[in-house]
Each structure stands twice: as C-alpha cells, then as structure tokens.
Amino acid sequence: MNAAVQTTARALIVDDEADIRELLEITLGRMGIETVAVSDLASARRTFDAQPFDLCLTDMRLPDGEGIALVRHINDRSPACPVAVITAYGSAEAAVASLKAGAFDFVSKPIDVAGLRTLVAQALKLAGLDHDAPPHPSLDVSPRLVGQTEAMAALRRTIAKLARSQAPVYVTGESGTGKELVARMIHAEGPRVNGAFVPVNCGAIPAELMESEFFGYLRGAFTGATRDTAGLFARADGGTLFLDEIADLPMSMQVKLLRAIQERSIRPVGATMETAVDVRIVSASHRDLSVEVARGRFREDLYYRLNVIEVKVPPLRDRIADIPMLAERILAGLARKMRLERAPVLSDDARSALMDYNFPGNIRELENILERAVTLAESPVIERGYLRLYSPLAEAAAANPADALVDESTDLESQLEALERERIQSALEACRYNKTKAAQRLGITFRALRYRLAKLGME
C-alpha cells in the first residue's frame, strides 16, 4: 500500500473486459484506493452522478458508446476529478482525441502496471490527496505573468486549466513574448511541480549531438563517452520537458522524438533496452508549425502529437496597457542586479514613448531597452532620450505620413539599406545580441549576417 495516498481516495473504473477491470481494481487496491467498477457508459454515468469520486479510469471503446463521452460528462459535472482513458496499443489518434476532450492522461493496452501506478499517483496529487507532497505553490512563489489586460487574464485562465492535464501543449508566439514563462507556469501549477522543469533550445544543439543530448548515452558508446550520461528525457523524468524552437529539429530527430513521446520510453545511445520515462512535453516555436508541415520541413504526425492543445501568447503591441507595469517590474529587477540604492523610474515622456513604440522584439526588447537606458542615465529618472527608440523609417513616416512607404527624395539603395539595418538591429536586440540566433530569426546564414554587419558598419 502506498502510504502517500489517502485511504479514502475513490476511483471509478469503466471497462467491458472483466480481466482489465480486475487488473485495475487490484492495482489501485494495493495503492489504498477504494474502487467501483462498471462495464458500460450508461452505468458509469449513473454511478458517477450518484456518489463522489476522486479519479476515473475508462476504456475508450464501450458497448454503448465512447469513453470520450464520459470524459465530457465528468468534466461538466466535476472538473476537479481527473479522468484517464484506456486506449488500444498504438492508437495515437484516440489518445490525442481523449486529451483534447479534457482527459487527464491516457493508458495504452496492454496496461503497464508501473506506468499505471505513476499515472494514478499524479492524478491524486492533482486532486490534493497526496499528504506527503508539499503544499501547491501559489502565484506568489511560482513564475508569474505580469499584466492586467484581458489578453493576460485569458492566458492565465488557460494556463490554470492546462496545468490540470497531462496533455502535450504547444505554445505559439513571436520571439520575446514569454513562451518559456508560460511553460514554467503550466509546470508550476500542476501535479508535476516537484519534478524537474528541463528547458532546451532545439536550435542550439548540433545535429550530430541531438540523439545523445535527448536520450543520453552509455559509457563506451562512442569516442569520448567515458561515463554513463543521462539525457534530457531522463533528467525530466517525473517532470516537464520544454522543447523551445521545436521547428528547428532536423527530420531524423523528429522521427526519434515521435517514438519517444508515443512509447513513453527512450533508448540511450549504446543501450540495447529501452527505459520507460514519465515526461510531460511542452513545446514552442515562433514559426508557424502548420506552415512548416505544408513545406515538408516538419512531420505531420509529430505536429499533431505535440499540438494537442495550443496556447497563443499575445505580442506586447497587443497589450500596450501592460507596459508601465512590466517596465516597473523590469526596473526593480535591474536595480537588484546592479545593486542600485533605489529602482530607476520612467519620466512621463519616456513612459509615453514606450507605449507608442511597436516592440518587434516584444518583452525581451523592452528588457534590453531599459537595461541600456539604466546604464546610460545619469539620474534615477529615465528620460525619453535614454530609451533610444529611434528608427529611420519610423522617423520618415512621422515627418511625412503620405510618403511613409516610398520616400522619393532618397535613392532606393539608401532606403533598402535603412530597412536592412533596422531589421538586423531588431533581430540582434531580440536575441540579446546572439548573432547565431539573430541569423536564424532573419532566415539567413551566420556567414551572411556577418557580411551584412560588416557592409553596414554595424560590427
């Protein structure tokens, strides 16, 4: 019996196969969980409505309907009750459909008892029935999104809902909008909070090292492998693996990642046996994955496996009213970092300038602008000039709106050069002056970026 599980926990088991019902009852019984088992959808609905349950395990295929119907029934009446769906082996479509319907997780047949116990333990943590677990973090100590606009309020509500599920989440948004922070909040507010949150930038790993980085390797697997080394999946076991810039994965690695997600197991380089892992996947990209799929650069089956639930992070220009609050938080952090006696403040003119700016680099660009301004400012009050929001094209547009698109007083070469300079500067600021990432953001090679920097005198 698992001492960490409260003996009063109750589970509803729904399956038309007697041997499966018996296996589930025995497994949960040994964990100290009281069970009630039924064999069809109608009985499950009546039983659930008649008495309280902390967990439900239901087969996908029932004699009188689909298990997804029960998932929706329970979510409507008791959204705090986690529901796990039992699917046929290899039925990825059914698993994804159940997660989209609101299932907590899924179990594949034949049922792996160890994996089932892990799933049940996670579900009961979510239901607050694991007494040995530390208190659930509040928003005062977990990662937090700053802002009071409706866009941010909606995003927080979505995060709170997703945190209760184990479904893969795909976070979309422009560079610098805070996609990793969203992933961290999903992790921090869910039952995996005591596990590791492992972030990885898929575009920063050399292609030849990807398999060993993701899955680990054994000593002697290749030259230089002097000891067994755990990969990203193993380090995230029991927690969350955040795959940032997932669109940068090469095709060969996409195949291996798909298998690891579907089978919930990995094979380290040099190993002959697979190892089970319990990892929730959250992925992100500033590129449109559906477009990458259409262009043949991203596997369609992996796309649908990752994009079970999509979360869109709004750009900063769509929540201008949050800029003063964001700026205040960033300036307070800079004061601590620079050991200033008091946090700098924005003048009214500087604040207005920020709220009029378009922020192509989003929050990351705001951070860079304010850090530069604090460094340059000679007093705790930051004036507009220290922000350096100058843009050649923007200035031309402001001076003559009718000719904003085409300035016939300037030759074409100069206009193109000004536009190129602005784009490169924005990319560099958004990528914290990492030239490799800036080149990727601009869609050019690193060598091409170096050439353009030298040509424009920007090095």
Side-chain angles (χ1 to χ4, degrees):
M1 177 174 156
N2 186 348
V5 176
Q6 190 178 28
T7 55
T8 55
R10 303 180 74 249
L12 174 62
I13 295 171
V14 188
D15 202 297
D16 60 335
E17 297 181 50
D19 55 341
I20 297 293
R21 291 200 302 272
E22 183 179 6
L23 173 63
L24 295 174
E25 287 188 283
I26 291 173
T27 302
L28 271 61
R30 288 175 176 171
M31 297 177 70
I33 300 171
E34 180 184 338
T35 60
V36 176
V38 297
S39 60
D40 57 60
L41 180 60
S43 299
R45 284 172 169 158
R46 287 196 302 270
T47 304
F48 186 86
D49 291 345
Q51 50 192 298
F53 288 96
D54 304 300
L55 168 68
C56 176
L57 298 171
T58 179
D59 193 10
M60 174 65 82
R61 306 288 183 187
L62 296 169
D64 54 346
E66 297 285 330
I68 287 180
L70 182 60
V71 173
R72 296 193 178 104
H73 180 86
I74 292 176
N75 279 342
D76 288 343
R77 287 157 177 77
S78 182
C81 178
V83 186
V85 175
I86 303 168
T87 65
Y89 175 77
S91 180
E93 294 80 6
V96 170
S98 66
L99 293 171
K100 282 183 177 290
F104 165 77
D105 208 341
F106 67 92
V107 184
S108 296
K109 295 180 181 179
I111 294 175
D112 173 65
V113 173
L116 175 64
R117 290 174 63 90
T118 299
L119 181 150
V120 170
Q122 293 281 6
L124 293 182
K125 283 182 184 178
L126 185 62
L129 297 175
D130 184 351
H131 291 306
D132 289 350
H136 191 281
S138 69
L139 286 177
D140 293 332
V141 295
S142 63
R144 184 162 50 166
L145 290 167
V146 176
Q148 300 298 325
T149 55
E150 176 53 33
M152 297 310 292
L155 182 56
R156 288 193 196 92
R157 290 194 295 269
T158 299
I159 289 171
K161 183 177 180 180
L162 295 183
R164 302 186 60 81
S165 168
Q166 296 300 294
V169 175
Y170 174 53
V171 186
T172 64
E174 298 175 8
S175 291
T177 50
K179 295 187 291 295
E180 182 174 336
L181 178 57
V182 169
R184 287 184 180 276
M185 287 185 66
I186 292 171
H187 171 79
E189 295 182 37
R192 293 177 177 268
V193 61
N194 298 317
F197 177 88
V198 179
V200 55
N201 187 326
C202 297
I205 304 176
E208 62 274 15
L209 298 180
M210 276 197 169
E211 185 173 4
S212 59
E213 283 289 318
F214 273 87
F215 307 133
Y217 55 86
L218 302 186
R219 177 181 178 183
F222 49 81
T223 302
T226 57
R227 58 186 176 85
D228 293 355
T229 302
L232 295 165
F233 268 85
R235 297 207 298 272
D237 194 20
T240 302
L241 180 60
F242 175 56
L243 303 175
D244 197 10
E245 298 303 344
I246 189 76
D248 291 338
L249 278 182
M251 275 290 183
S252 58
M253 191 61 208
Q254 291 178 31
V255 177
K256 294 169 183 175
L257 177 61
L258 176 63
R259 175 174 174 78
I261 293 173
Q262 289 186 163
E263 304 301 324
R264 300 189 180 188
S265 63
I266 58 171
R267 180 180 295 178
V269 177
T272 58
M273 302 289 291
E274 292 193 340
T275 303
V277 288
D278 171 32
V279 172
R280 185 182 191 183
I281 300 291
V282 179
S283 57
S285 177
H286 74 277
R287 301 214 298 264
D288 189 332
L289 272 193
S290 63
V291 173
E292 298 299 300
V293 170
R295 292 174 177 172
R297 295 199 290 247
F298 202 84
R299 290 181 62 95
E300 186 175 19
D301 47 5
L302 179 58
Y303 169 70
Y304 286 115
R305 198 67 187 84
L306 293 171
N307 191 21
V308 174
I309 301 173
E310 182 175 332
V311 179
K312 294 183 179 180
V313 185
L316 186 53
R317 61 181 171 275
D318 287 351
R319 52 188 192 101
I320 295 297
D322 287 333
I323 287 179
M325 185 181 297
L326 281 165
E328 183 179 350
R329 178 67 61 87
I330 292 168
L331 290 172
L334 288 171
R336 292 191 296 270
K337 176 183 174 181
M338 298 179 177
R339 298 183 179 180
L340 303 178
E341 291 184 4
R342 62 190 180 98
V345 295
L346 294 169
S347 69
D348 292 342
D349 191 34
R351 188 179 300 106
S352 297
L354 287 176
M355 296 182 72
D356 289 338
Y357 186 60
N358 195 44
F359 284 104
N362 294 292
I363 296 173
R364 189 179 297 132
E365 184 180 8
L366 175 61
E367 292 172 343
N368 292 337
I369 288 171
L370 292 177
E371 183 169 7
R372 182 176 60 213
V374 170
T375 302
L376 296 175
E378 298 176 355
S379 75
V381 179
I382 298 175
E383 300 294 344
R384 181 190 187 109
Y386 291 120
L387 300 176
R388 295 194 174 183
L389 301 178
Y390 170 78
S391 165
L393 296 183
E395 290 287 325
N400 194 351
D403 296 331
L405 295 179
V406 179
D407 182 1
E408 295 182 354
S409 67
T410 307
D411 63 275
L412 179 61
E413 188 66 30
S414 297
Q415 290 184 47
L416 292 176
E417 184 176 295
L419 177 60
E420 186 176 15
R421 186 187 301 274
E422 182 182 32
R423 287 289 307 281
I424 290 174
Q425 182 64 33
S426 294
L428 288 169
E429 290 182 353
C431 298
R432 298 180 185 271
Y433 292 89
N434 182 314
K435 294 178 183 177
T436 300
K437 292 182 179 179
Q440 292 174 350
R441 180 183 177 88
L442 291 165
I444 60 177
T445 65
F446 177 76
R447 181 176 296 180
L449 177 60
R450 289 187 61 183
Y451 168 77
R452 283 175 164 82
L453 289 171
K455 175 187 173 184
L456 297 169
M458 297 177 66
E459 287 193 314

